[in-house]
Every structure is written in C-alpha cells, then in structure tokens.
C-alpha cells in the first residue's frame, strides 16, 4: 500500500515516517517468515492449512512462530480478529481458502421416484393386465373394441396418476426436510471478533482467519487452532467414535470441525473451512465430491481418514445408533411399537386379506366361466384369453383396492400439517414421527428455570454482614424486597467500599457473554446470557455500577490471554461454583467465588461487615436458617465470597487433599478455601402465567409432570407446589402454621439420594470419594464409599425393583445432575410396574396414584450440553430454543422456540391429533375396502363379474381416498383430546368401536348395493330404468336362483358395456362413501358416547375446518363430471336429476345409520366399559396427577 504524508508539521511527519518504517519492517518480517515456512514445505494454502489440522502438524505452527504468528500471517490476531473486514476482502478470502459451506447431496430426481414406484408389484400387475387387454383389442368383436381399448387406456392413466401422486409426495417431503435442515443450520450463531469488535454470525459466514469465541455447548463450525482458553475439553466422538473428552491447550491446539465443546471457553483461529475442513473432507468422501487439495496428491488420505474417523455426514444415523445402544435394554423389555410399525402391521394384514379375497374372486369367476362349457369353451381362443385376462384384472383390482394406498398419504399429510401447526405453537420438529410419539406420552420430565418459570430472575432478598460497631448477635442482616427495592436498602445499609466489592464480585466473576440493559421501548430489563448472572448484573446496575466491559477492561492482564483477570476456575454442574482471580492495582491478587451456598459456606472463615471495614465470625446455623427461608419462598440462593492474596499463589490450581483422584469437573481447588463471605442473595424467578393451567391439562390428560432442577430441595418443593406438580395430598400436614409443609417420602428428593437408592453398589471394589447420600444422617456430600457397579458399556446398573418403588411417587428431583435425569428416563422406559396389579392397586388406594397400564412413554426437556444423553434416551427430547446449547438442539427431537412448558402440552395435543387423524382415515378407508371386497365377491359369485368395474374401483380407491386423506388429516385438534388417557404403545390402532363402525357402515353400503341390483321395485319404480337392456335387470332375482346361460351372457354383456343400472350402483356407493367421511370425523368411545352428546354430533366443529368442506365439494364435483361425461372410459351412463337425487338420499342415509351403530356400540360394550362411567373427566383429573387411566373403561375400549 502507498501512503502519502501531506503535513507541514515536521515533527508529525517524522513520527509518521517512523511509524511507516516500523510497519514496513513488520510486513518484511512477516513476508520473510511466510517465505521461510513455505521453503520448509508448510504452504499457507487451503490444502496446507487443512493438512496441518488433520495431521496435527505442530511443525507448521513452529515455522510461523506459533499460533499468534500464524494469525498474523493470515491477517488476524487474537485480540482484534481480522483487520480487513470489508466485503471485497472477505470475498477474496472465500475465493482463496474456500467458503464454510458444503453443498448438500442433490435431491432424488422426480423421474427416479417414478421408477421406484414402478417396482411395486401391484402396479406392475396392473400394467401387465392393461397391456394384455390392449394387445387383444384387434381380436375383439368390433362393438367391443372401443370399450376394451378405453378400459386399458384408463388403467394406464390411473397408474400414471398413482405414480405421480406418490412421487410428488416423496419429492415434496424431501424438499421440506431439506428446508427444515437448512433452517436449523441457519439458527446456529457464533460470536466472532472482526476489527476489534465482537459480533454474531452464522457458521456459513465464517472465513479463514476469523477468531471465534467458543464456549460450552458449541459445535465447532470449522477447523481451527486454539488461541487461548480455560479448561477446554472437546468431545470428538462424532469423528473418532471414542467418548473420551480431549483436553485442548497450547500444547494440543488443533480443534476439529463437528466436535463439541463440553467444558471451558476460549478463542479459536479458523484455518480450514468447508470442504477443506476435516468434516468437509469426510462429506466429500461420502458424496464422491472433491474436497481439499491434498486428497488429489495423496491417494491414501481417504483410507487414512476412514480408519481414523467416523463418517460424520451420516450424523442422523450415528445419533440413532447411539440412542439405540444407550437404550438397548429398553428395546428388549419394551414390546410396544410406534405408529409407523402399527400401520405397517395393519397394512400387511389388510394386504393378506385382500390377496385371499382376490384369489377367491378369481377362482369364482373362472369357475362360473368354465361352468358354461357349451357357451364359453366353444368361443374363439382370443375371446377365452380375453375373458381370463378380465378375471385376472378384476382380481388384481380387488387387491389394489384392499391395499390402503391412501394410508401413507394420510400419515405424511397429517404429520406435515402437524409440523406446520406446531411451529405456530413454538415447537420446531426435527424428527417427524416425534409429533405422533408425543400423543402417547405418559411422563414429562421438565426443567424448572425458563421452562416452568419466566427466566426473568430478580434478587428479592439479600443477606449481608452487620456494621463493624454493632448489629444482631449472629452478625448478619437480612434484606427483603418489601416497600423498598433491595438495591435501595443495600445503599442505605452498606458503605461505598462494601458496595464496590459486591459489584466487582458480581461483574468480574461472570461470563463475558452475560449482559443486561434497560429497554425503553418495552420498559423491561433485557437479559442476554445466564439468567442468574443477569440478576446480579441488574442489581449492580441499580446500585450505580459502570458498564461491565469498562470495569473488566481495568483488570486486563497482558501476560494472560483471558479477557480479564489471570485465572478462571469454571463452573460445572458438579462443583456448583465458579471463581475468577484478578490482579489488584497495588500488586496483590483477589479471588472472587460464587455458587450454591453449600459449596461456599463450607470453605468460609468469616463475613465482611456492611461498612467494609472488618471481617466478623460467621454463624453458619443462622445463615442456613436464612437460606431455608429464602428457599421455602421459592427462591434460588447464591453466595458470593472473596479471598485476598499478597502475591500470586503457587498452589492455587491444585485440588484439595483427597480430591486428586476425583474428576476435574468435581474438584475444589486450594485457592477456593479460606473465603470471606460477601452476601447471600435470594433470586426469584416467577412462574410463567400459563404453567399452572398447562400442568392441570397434563393431569387431565393422564400425563405425569416431574420437575428435574438444579435448585435446592426446598426451592424446588415450593415452586412445584405453586404450579401443581405437588398436590396438597402429596404433602405431610404441619402442626405449625409458620413452618412450610414437607412432601411425603419419595415425592421429592435430591439427586444424590436418588442416585444412591436406585443404583447397584459394587461392594467388591475399593472405596472411592464420590457424591453420596448417608442413610443414617440424611446428609449429602463427597464421602468415601464403594463405587457403583457398571455394565460392559460403563453405565451404572439400575436396580429396577428399587427404582419401581420410587418413581410412581417421585415428583421433584432437586440438585439434579444430568446423569440423574438420564437414569430417571431409562428407568421409566424400562419399568414394567404396570404388570404388578397389586402394587398399582395399593398406590391408588394410599396415594391416589394411577399407573398407566402400559410402558411409559417419556418426554424430557433439556438445555445443557450434558442433557444430550437424556434427550436421546427419551422417547421425545425437547431442547430449549432460547438458552439451549447447539449440542442439546442436535440431540433433541423437538426444539421449544419459546422455552415454555405450555408448548409441550400443545405438542401432546397435536400428537394425539395425529393418531386420531390417521385412525379416522383407517376407519374410513377400511370401510370402503370391506364394502368393495364384498361387492366384488357377490358379483363374482352371481355374475362371474364384479358389479364395480376395475376402473371404477381404482377411482374410488385412489382418487377419492387420496382426497379423503387430506380432508381427515386436516382436522384441527380439540381440547377434548386432553381429556383422554394416552394411547399407549401396545394399543391397537383399530379398536373394538372402530370395528363395529366399519362393519356397520360396510353392511349398510353392501345392503343398499344389493337392493339396487336385485330388488325389482327399486330399480323399476324408484330409479325408473326403462331401457331394453334394463328390462332384463328386472329378472335379477330369478337369475340369482336360476343362472341360465343366456341370461348370464346378457348380464355379463351389460356389465362390460356399462348401463344406467350399474352406474347407479357405482354412484350410490361413491356417495355413501362420501357421506361416511362425516362419520369418520368421530372416533367414538363407549365412555364418551354415554357421557356427552358431542360424540354423537358428526357435524360438530366442521366450521373450523373449511378445507374439509372444500374437499368434499371437489370430490362430489369430480364424481358428477365422471358420471355425466366419462362414458365408456369408466363404463358409466349419464343419470337423470331424479336418479341423482335418490343416489344422494342413499348416501345421506349413512349418517342416521351411524346413530344406530352407536346404539349397537353401547348395547354390546363389555361390562367393564361402564365401570365408573358416571365419574366426570373433570373429577378424574382433579384426583389424578399421575398416569391416569382416565377412566378404566377407556383403556378397556382402546385395547379391546
């Protein structure tokens, strides 16, 4: 670059020249370094940087003078990031080093999906028959040729429609999945540093040279080299298959794309993106595309990678395999199946029945044909062959009718509609069948913070020391948010020195991403980052603190690469604390520590007086008493402390004696002892307004809600009682009104106690230090105890009998670690407690707990990285969309966009609606199939032909049923769905009531068709059929009993050519089917038929689904066009208005017939179905928050 100096000031000119000389020398040194490194074989190219990370070439870094030298060579540095950030510069980088995006594999072409559809054996059979029919056209009689050729062409057209319909559905579904995947990828955001400023961007915008901030829960977006970091551990199992966490530091700086940050935080220099990254190379190998540059030169690279790395592109399969491994015992013990498996079993059974009926019909038609040897066997061979082909065509058509082709369409449409509607209810569905699974959920294990509560934490109480000159006997003062804010009272009580120390403790011992600001538009506080830290920062702002970034900048240390301070002891769910060390201006050092009071008070020696002048002895009992008051008021408690050092400690990162063998995540360090307590705060997080109602709805729906929280037990119990998770009957009555009620045994417990009670202890192994619950004292802490027994996979072995004693009562799991939640999920899914009828009866009598009579279907909410195993092990995993980590979102099935528990209830309702919609369509289509099969058999037996032509049956089966699937799949859910018990994994998809409905409607349809066929007054007087051929139809009854050859030949000729009579049969059948769609909208149960009129009214709520009405109108119009204009193509004749009217009347008759069928349902119901039928659902819900079989008769009806 050329720089002109246009100044008249000699001194300034001289200074500028010196600066320019320094810059030039810097660039000369950099150029020399790059040249020397290049001569050593380390090229600053996309392939060279890619190989550096892939092969772990530390010599590459040394050649460029370390990580900072490499950053400089790439035009970047650790503090300011990329220096040139204009669009042209970024575009040049993408051109030189590649873009951080890998093109997804192309979607399957529409034509390939058509070809796949041709592999269906029934489609092939239809094509063979149609081809045979067309080949025999020249040999037909002249008056038959047009009919025969039209039938063959019509079959070809129908097959083409079916193939295009199936291909269109598959293609649309693939596009939708691709769109959702891109949306999920676009939701990921990373903090990068460019031009000295921190900004958020999507992974696709990251370029080589960017400095990316990484933290717990992030999935690394591109290959990089660690610039700085604290206690960073990476999970590389997605690439290596090894579940061991790998520490990353200056000695081991290479971080691979696709891996996950499990602990710590830091900065990463991006060196390889897109197809040049390790993940991109694997993608290239899988998809057969060309990746990074070195693969061309090294043919062994791909082999090397395949032996060293797992194929990461098949991530979905990888995750499913892991989930299967984690829940292998569940799969063995759980005999239930999901909806797709049930539908497959149902379709297989229907297909077999259709095959038997088709075979029987073919043999009957062939038998009748051969039973007329004089007439039929003397025909020309071509006509005999044509007749046999026609019989085979009818048989194949019967098989096609029997196979429910519309069922997959109904499933896909129902799930697709549900996914769209759930998005409006703040549920983003990742795995489509999770929609349906939620309809069977019996338990929801929910987080508290942000899910049940608003995640708008505010400090409502505070405990500080007294002044140096006086105060209470225990040296503490409790501040409550009554008439004055906590901040105002603190300013009145505490000295400026004390407040300054408090502010420094809160701001300097928090994450750099945590920010608080006042929004003038909404007149509310805006939180970004950890909600607990936000509450502290909000109080600091109210106390008059300066901007956190300004304060932090005052304590930056040039000798470290931290944003401020000299050392960090990061937070972990096991430690329940975090600490940060800063260097003071006078040369000393100060450690700030904050965390759960139990983890701070144990290492505290005194409490700072409110005037900040002295340290007083601390009364631990008084503090514990205050903490309990806070917790019983449903507040989260947090302690803040500090410790001063005259000089830098030499052993500050050493663990305490006895903790050397404990994992780093649980260690307490030497520097975190001998603390001085600053304050204990009580933080309130109010319940969401919708939570209480949502939990009540879950109780009504027979779904348990269990709270899994990291809060203290007293806090968790108070909040769960507020929202209804703990019922009044679950609490032990208290004689002292001043003391809060306590839950009954096992209704609420801490994670350590739960862990101790449900796992098998390995008494043969030596004792180790571990988290433990002491049965004698009831205390929890790190103790020397025998370890837990583990299986071959290293997982703790669950004592299922002990677990089954606890889980029916358990409502609150406090101080819950992620592995406790995982144990709870696995134990619930494996439980067979429902088979122990005596225990279930005792639970109901003693505690009013109803055990659902099937395997538990478990849904779990989670937000942290460590929640991922539980999310995968659950039947449905919900990740938090606002505060959830990328790893949690990757492991889940559904993302809660608003982190609101009420959204999970919406998922339950829509999940049940999916099951209902598909069951409705099954009821509708199987009714059509039964009626059509019966008609085909009657025709084959009596006429040697089906009264419904092949093209007519295909029309009913494909066109009408496809439209019906759309109509029934679009039915919106009703609140009544939450007044029913879960469906259960073993529940048959077709219930006893559905069978009665189907058989009743099919009997009505077959009866009407037989009357039209055989009852002379109906055909003559009502439908007014006067044609010559129609007059022969008046002799049908005689023909039934005396099948003369001549009459049979005439009748067959009528069927082949099409008459008004058979057109009426076909039209009436279609209209009866069309009207039966109204009946299919209700899946009656005996209980609801007996207790509510709503189940009898098939028109209820139809105005809420205009699509249903529109499809009915479209279907009717298509049928009218077919009857009046298609002619020989569908073997029909035009009908008069009078004939249409009577056909419509028979069709409408399906609705009153359903009324009679409902009476049959009530009359034939087993006695058990009427048990407790007088108990209302509201009463049942009021007495059951557990897995209610609401009520018993419903389960009997569902499983009959």
């Amino acid at each position: 670059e050329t720089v002109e100096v246009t100044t008249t000031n000699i001194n300034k000119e001289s200074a500028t020249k010196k600066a320019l000389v320094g810059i030039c020398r810097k660039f000369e040194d950099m150029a020399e370094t790059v040249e020397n490194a290049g001569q050593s074989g380390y090229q600053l190219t996309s392939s060279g940087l890619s190989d550096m990370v892939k092969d772990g070439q530390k010599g590459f870094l040394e050649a460029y003078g370390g990580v900072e030298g490499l950053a400089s060579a790439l035009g970047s540095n650790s503090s300011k990031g990329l220096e040139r950030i204009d669009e042209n510069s970024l575009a040049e980088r993408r051109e030189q080093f590649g873009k951080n995006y890998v093109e997804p594999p192309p979607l399957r072409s529409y034509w390939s999906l058509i070809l796949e559809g041709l592999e269906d054996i029934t489609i092939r059979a239809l094509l063979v028959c149609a081809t045979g029919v067309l080949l025999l056209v020249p040999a037909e009689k002249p008056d038959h040729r047009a009919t025969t050729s039209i039938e063959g062409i019509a079959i070809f057209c129908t097959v083409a429609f079916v193939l295009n319909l199936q291909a269109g559905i598959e293609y649309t579904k693939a596009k939708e999945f691709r769109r959702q995947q891109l949306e999920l990828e676009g939701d990921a955001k990373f903090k990068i540093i460019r031009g000295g400023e921190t900004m958020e961007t999507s992974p696709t915008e990251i370029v080589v040279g960017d400095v990316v901030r990484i933290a717990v829960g992030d999935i690394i977006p591109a290959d990089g080299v660690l610039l700085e970091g604290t206690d960073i551990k990476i999970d590389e199992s997605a690439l290596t298959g090894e579940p061991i966490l790998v520490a990353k530091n200056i000695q081991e700086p290479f971080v691979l794309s696709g891996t996950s940050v499990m602990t710590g935080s830091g900065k990463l220099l991006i060196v390889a993106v897109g197809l040049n990254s390790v993940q991109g190379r694997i993608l290239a190998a899988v998809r057969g595309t060309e990746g990074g540059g070195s693969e061309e030169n090294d043919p062994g690279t791909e082999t090397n990678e395949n032996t060293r790395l797992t194929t990461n592109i098949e991530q979905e399969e990888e995750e499913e395999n892991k989930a299967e491994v984690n829940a292998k015992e569940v799969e063995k013990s759980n005999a239930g199946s999901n909806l797709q498996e049930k539908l497959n079993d149902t379709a297989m059974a229907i297909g077999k029945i259709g095959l038997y009926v088709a075979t029987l019909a073919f043999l009957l038609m062939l038998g009748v044909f051969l039973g007329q040897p004089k007439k039929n066997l003397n025909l020309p061979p071509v006509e005999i062959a044509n007749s046999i082909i026609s019989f085979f065509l009818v048989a194949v058509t019967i098989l096609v009718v029997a196979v429910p082709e519309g069922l997959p369409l109904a499933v896909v449409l129902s799930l697709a509609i549900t996914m769209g509607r759930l998005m409006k209810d703040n549920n983003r569905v990742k795995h489509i069948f999770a929609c349906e699974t939620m309809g069977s959920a019996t338990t929801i294990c929910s987080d508290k913070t942000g899910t049940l509560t608003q995640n708008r934490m505010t400090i409502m109480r505070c405990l500080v020391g007294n002044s140096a000159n006086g105060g209470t006997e225990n040296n503490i003062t409790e501040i409550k948010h009554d008439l004055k804010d906590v901040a105002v009272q603190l300013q009145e009580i505490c000295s400026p020195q004390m407040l300054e120390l408090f502010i420094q403790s809160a701001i300097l011992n928090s994450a750099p991403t945590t920010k608080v600001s006042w929004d003038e538009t909404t007149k509310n506080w805006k939180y970004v980052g950890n909600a607990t830290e936000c509450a502290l920062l909000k109080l600091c702002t109210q106390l008059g603190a300066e901007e956190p970034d300004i304060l932090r900048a005052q304590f930056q240390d040039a000798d470290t690469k931290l944003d401020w301070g000299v050392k960090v002891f990061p937070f972990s769910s096991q430690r329940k604390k975090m600490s940060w060390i800063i260097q003071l201006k006078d040369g000393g050092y100060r450690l700030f520590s904050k965390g759960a009071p139990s983890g701070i008070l144990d290492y505290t020696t005194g409490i700072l007086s409110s005037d900040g002048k002295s340290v007083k002895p601390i009364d631990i009992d008084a503090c514990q008493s205050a903490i309990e008051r806070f917790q019983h008021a449903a507040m989260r408690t947090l302690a803040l402390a500090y410790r001063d050092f005259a000089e830098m400690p030499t052993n500050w990162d050493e663990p305490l004696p006895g903790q050397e063998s404990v994992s780093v995540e649980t260690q307490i360090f030497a520097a975190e002892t001998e603390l001085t307590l600053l304050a204990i705060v009580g933080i309130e997080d109010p319940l969401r307004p919708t939570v209480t109602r949502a939990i009540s709805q879950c109780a009504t729906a027979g779904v348990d809600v269990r709270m899994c929280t990291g809060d203290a037990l007293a806090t968790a119990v108070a909040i769960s009682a507020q929202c209804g998770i703990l019922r009044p009957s679950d609490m032990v009555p208290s004689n002292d009104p001043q003391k809060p009620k306590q839950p009954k045994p096992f209704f609420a417990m801490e994670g350590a106690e739960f862990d101790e009670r449900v796992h098998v202890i390995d008494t043969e192994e030596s004792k180790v230090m571990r988290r433990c619950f002491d049965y004698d004292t009831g205390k929890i802490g790190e103790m020397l105890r025998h370890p837990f027994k583990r299986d071959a996979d290293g997982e703790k072995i669950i004592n299922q009998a002990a677990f089954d004693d606890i889980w029916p009562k358990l409502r609150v799991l406090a101080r819950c670690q992620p592995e406790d939640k995982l144990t709870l999920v696995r134990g619930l899914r494996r439980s067979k407690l429902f088979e122990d009828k005596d225990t279930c009866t005792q639970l109901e009598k003693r505690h009013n707990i109803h055990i659902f009579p099937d395997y538990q279907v478990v849904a779990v909410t989670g937000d942290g990285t460590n929640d991922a195993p539980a999310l995968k092990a659950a039947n449905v995993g919900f990740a938090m969309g606002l505060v959830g980590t990328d790893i949690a979102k990757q492991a889940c099935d559904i993302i809660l966009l608003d982190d609101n528990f009420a959204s999970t209830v919406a998922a339950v309702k829509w999940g049940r609606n999916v099951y209902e919609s598909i069951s409705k369509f099954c009821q509708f289509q199987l009714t059509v199939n039964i009626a059509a099969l019966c008609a085909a058999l009657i025709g084959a037996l009596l006429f040697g032909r089906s009264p419904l032509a092949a093209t007519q049956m295909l029309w009913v089966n494909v066109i009408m049923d496809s439209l019906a699937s759309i109509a029934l799949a679009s039915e919106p859910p009703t609140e009544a769905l939450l007044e029913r018990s879960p469906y259960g994994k073993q529940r048959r998809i077709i219930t006893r009531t559905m069978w009665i409905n189907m058989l009743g409607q099919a009997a009505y349809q077959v009866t009407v068709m037989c009357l039209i066929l055989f009852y002379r007054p109906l055909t003559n007087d009502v439908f007014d059929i006067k044609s010559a051929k129609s007059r022969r139809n008046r002799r049908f009854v005689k023909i039934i009993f005396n099948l003369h050859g001549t009459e049979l030949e005439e009748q067959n000729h009528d069927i082949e050519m099409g008459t008004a009579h058979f057109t009426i049969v076909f039209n009436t059948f279609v209209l009866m089917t069309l009207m039966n769609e109204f009946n299919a909208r209700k899946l009656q149960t005996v209980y609801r038929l007996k207790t509510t009129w709503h189940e009898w009214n098939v028109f209820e709520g139809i105005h809420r689904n205009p699509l249903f009405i529109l499809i009915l109108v479209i279907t009717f119009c298509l049928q009218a066009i077919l009857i009046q204009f298609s002619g020989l193509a569908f073997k029909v004749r035009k009908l008069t208005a009078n004939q249409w009217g009577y056909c419509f009347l028979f069709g409408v008759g399906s609705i009153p017939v359903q009324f009679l069928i409902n009476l049959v349902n009530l009359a034939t119901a087993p006695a058990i179905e009427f048990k407790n039928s007088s108990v209302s659902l509201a009463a049942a819900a009021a007495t059951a928050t557990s897995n209610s079989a609401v009520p018993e008769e419903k389960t009997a009806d569902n499983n009959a």
Side-chain angles (χ1 to χ4, degrees), residues 560-707:
T560 68
K561 295 185 178 180
L562 296 174
D563 291 315
W564 70 89
V566 296
K567 181 68 178 178
V568 177
F569 299 109
F571 175 86
S572 73
S573 57
Q574 292 84 3
R575 282 165 42 84
K576 294 291 183 184
K577 65 163 63 176
M578 70 177 292
S579 302
W580 209 297
I581 299 177
I582 63 169
Q583 185 175 10
L584 301 174
K585 296 176 182 179
D586 61 5
Y589 293 85
R590 178 171 290 162
L591 174 141
F592 291 114
S593 186
K594 76 166 185 281
S598 59
I600 299 293
L601 292 178
D602 290 345
Y603 304 99
T604 302
T605 59
I607 183 170
L608 185 67
S609 62
S610 58
D611 56 13
K613 295 180 179 180
S614 64
V615 176
K616 291 189 172 186
I618 185 169
D619 187 335
I620 298 295
D621 291 337
C623 290
Q624 292 289 1
S625 178
I627 290 169
E628 289 179 6
R629 290 195 297 274
F630 291 2
Q631 292 173 346
H632 287 310
M635 293 183 188
R636 171 177 289 184
T637 53
L638 195 70
L640 290 81
Y642 76 100
R643 178 184 178 183
D644 284 337
F645 300 90
E647 58 185 18
M648 182 179 293
T650 57
N651 64 338
W652 59 6
D653 54 356
E654 292 180 3
L656 290 179
Q659 292 197 346
E660 294 85 359
S661 60
V662 178
S663 64
V664 177
E665 290 79 9
T666 61
Q667 286 178 346
I668 304 298
F669 299 94
E672 297 177 303
T673 60
E674 301 179 20
L675 301 172
T676 299
L677 185 66
L678 277 172
I680 297 174
V681 296
I683 306 174
E684 183 181 79
D685 188 9
L687 285 173
R688 290 181 179 271
T690 56
V691 161
T692 303
R693 179 175 181 270
I695 291 175
S696 176
Q697 287 178 313
C698 286
T700 306
V703 180
D704 264 347
V705 180
R706 292 178 167 84
M707 180 196 291

Side-chain angles (χ1 to χ4, degrees), residues 664-882:
V664 177
E665 290 79 9
T666 61
Q667 286 178 346
I668 304 298
F669 299 94
E672 297 177 303
T673 60
E674 301 179 20
L675 301 172
T676 299
L677 185 66
L678 277 172
I680 297 174
V681 296
I683 306 174
E684 183 181 79
D685 188 9
L687 285 173
R688 290 181 179 271
T690 56
V691 161
T692 303
R693 179 175 181 270
I695 291 175
S696 176
Q697 287 178 313
C698 286
T700 306
V703 180
D704 264 347
V705 180
R706 292 178 167 84
M707 180 196 291
C708 302
T709 177
D711 280 344
L713 182 61
T715 304
V717 168
I719 292 175
S720 60
Q722 287 179 15
C723 65
I725 292 177
L726 280 173
R727 304 167 296 179
S729 60
D730 299 334
M731 311 297 283
V732 177
S734 175
N735 296 326
D736 187 355
Q738 300 298 324
K739 291 185 178 181
K741 294 181 180 180
Q742 297 297 319
K744 294 178 180 178
F746 292 166
F747 277 81
M749 64 173 60
E750 292 195 6
E753 180 182 355
F754 175 75
D755 193 36
E756 198 77 22
R757 291 185 181 277
V758 303
H759 287 118
V760 179
I761 306 295
D762 192 349
T763 55
E764 297 180 359
E765 292 290 332
S766 302
K767 293 183 178 181
V768 297
M769 287 293 294
R770 64 172 176 83
R771 182 185 65 156
C772 180
F773 171 76
D774 192 313
Y775 289 99
D776 297 329
T777 63
K779 291 185 177 181
I780 294 172
E782 295 288 328
M783 304 178 192
L784 195 63
R785 292 290 189 271
H786 289 289
F788 296 110
K789 187 173 288 187
R790 298 180 181 270
D791 59 18
D793 295 329
E795 303 291 344
K796 294 179 185 177
I797 297 176
I798 297 176
N799 182 344
Q800 194 62 45
F803 184 91
D804 287 345
D805 286 340
I806 293 173
W807 78 259
K809 306 171 188 175
L810 185 64
R811 292 294 175 272
V812 178
L813 194 57
R815 295 293 185 212
C816 175
Q817 295 184 3
E819 65 174 10
D820 300 328
K821 189 186 291 187
L822 176 61
T823 299
L824 180 61
V825 171
R826 287 177 173 169
L828 284 169
R829 291 193 62 189
R830 297 174 189 177
S831 178
K832 295 183 180 180
L833 183 62
F834 64 91
E835 296 178 351
D836 187 349
K837 302 302 180 185
D838 293 337
T839 301
C840 294
T841 302
Q842 291 298 320
L843 285 169
E844 186 168 0
K845 288 181 178 179
R846 295 179 181 177
H847 303 290
N848 199 20
I849 294 175
H850 304 270
I851 302 300
F852 185 72
D854 201 343
Y855 287 98
Q856 292 288 307
V857 178
V858 185
V860 170
T861 67
D863 57 5
T865 297
N866 291 336
D867 286 328
L871 292 172
K872 290 299 298 182
N875 297 92
V876 180
F878 287 87
M880 303 296 106
L882 298 178

Side-chain angles (χ1 to χ4, degrees), residues 1088-1121:
R1088 290 186 62 78
L1089 285 173
K1090 189 173 178 63
T1091 58
T1092 174
W1093 163 250
H1094 299 294
E1095 208 71 7
W1096 295 74
N1097 182 10
V1098 297
F1099 299 104
E1100 183 187 31
I1102 199 168
H1103 61 281
R1104 296 191 299 120
N1105 189 8
L1107 182 60
F1108 183 91
I1109 300 173
L1110 176 63
I1111 289 174
L1112 281 182
V1113 172
I1114 291 174
T1115 307
F1116 182 81
C1117 292
L1118 290 174
Q1119 175 69 10
I1121 292 170

Side-chain angles (χ1 to χ4, degrees), residues 162 220 303 584 690:
V162 172
I220 304 300
T303 306
L584 301 174
T690 56

